[in-house]
């Protein structure tokens, strides 16, 4: 069993999509083993997205990610990292496969519904950013 960090982004939380997104995860046999609703400060969003600091979209992305509540969660299952990336779809909703979360609910490349870790190393770092061991109940 593998774990990955998922974030339901402010665009999706504000549209009351938390439940439908969680249903997709559960239908795909991913278990939500930790979950919390919170609002990041811009500084915290900048820290989370540190790897993108030099990119043109960085400040706008961090503004968006701190603009309202998010739902951070740990998903657990077989191949959870790749499975979640498949459910999410391509970064740009316009290029995402039909049926993916980003294609169904994404507004733009920035306001694209969900974040998902892209490797085991980043999953461990990103889970640690939001959750302590005590908060993850498998
Ligand atoms: N992003 C953006 N413009 C871009 C590329 C990315 O606003 O041209 C945002 C988008 O919200 C994306 C996040 O930055 O989800 C992180 O980018 P990454 O390339 O890691 O995409 P992801 O792993 O989320 O598919
Ligand atoms: Mg990424």
């Amino acid at each position: 069993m593998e774990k990955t960090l998922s974030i339901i982004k402010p665009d999706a939380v504000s549209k009351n999509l938390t439940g439908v997104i969680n249903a997709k995860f559960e239908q795909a046999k991913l278990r939500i083993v930790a979950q919390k609703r919170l609002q990041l400060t811009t500084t915290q969003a900048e820290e989370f997205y540190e790897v993108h600091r030099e990119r043109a979209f960085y400040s706008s992305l961090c503004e968006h990610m701190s603009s309202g509540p998010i739902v951070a969660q740990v998903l657990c299952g077989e191949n959870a990292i790749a499975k979640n990336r498949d459910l999410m779809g391509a970064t740009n909703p316009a290029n995402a496969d039909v049926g993916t979360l980003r294609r169904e609910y994404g507004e733009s490349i920035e306001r694209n519904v969900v974040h998902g870790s892209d490797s085991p190393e980043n999953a461990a770092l990103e889970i640690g950013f939001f959750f302590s061991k005590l908060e993850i109940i498998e």
Side-chain angles (χ1 to χ4, degrees):
M1 289 294 164
E2 187 174 68
K3 290 200 276 296
T4 190
L5 183 87
S6 166
I7 302 174
I8 304 178
K9 296 187 178 185
D11 49 286
V13 172
S14 68
K15 288 191 275 189
N16 230 14
L17 291 171
T18 302
V20 289
I21 292 168
N22 281 350
K24 288 265 189 195
F25 294 148
E26 292 186 331
Q27 281 156 17
K29 297 203 170 85
L30 290 172
R31 303 185 74 81
I32 302 163
V33 296
Q35 176 166 265
K36 62 176 127 184
R37 176 183 168 103
L38 69 148
Q39 183 161 356
L40 293 172
T41 65
T42 308
T43 304
Q44 289 168 330
E46 286 169 353
E47 190 188 336
F48 182 78
Y49 279 115
E50 183 66 40
V51 292
H52 294 307
R53 190 174 281 279
E54 301 307 323
R55 310 286 295 277
F57 59 81
Y58 179 70
S59 70
S60 180
L61 171 65
C62 295
E63 285 296 322
H64 173 54
M65 290 301 291
S66 56
S67 67
I70 61 171
V71 176
Q73 47 196 187
V74 180
L75 307 179
C76 180
E78 255 175 58
N79 298 314
I81 295 168
K83 187 182 273 187
N84 183 38
R85 297 287 307 192
D86 284 348
L87 294 170
M88 290 163 59
T91 306
N92 187 345
N95 302 330
D97 289 344
V98 171
T100 62
L101 292 168
R102 285 169 163 176
R103 178 63 172 263
E104 295 305 306
Y105 305 117
E107 290 171 39
S108 67
I109 192 166
E110 179 179 278
R111 299 169 68 89
N112 63 355
V113 187
V114 277
H115 168 87
S117 306
D118 62 7
S119 67
E121 297 71 29
N122 285 336
L125 287 170
E126 292 177 359
I127 289 169
F129 185 91
F130 285 100
F131 295 97
S132 76
K133 261 200 210 163
L134 283 173
E135 295 174 304
I136 302 168
I137 315 299
E138 282 183 53

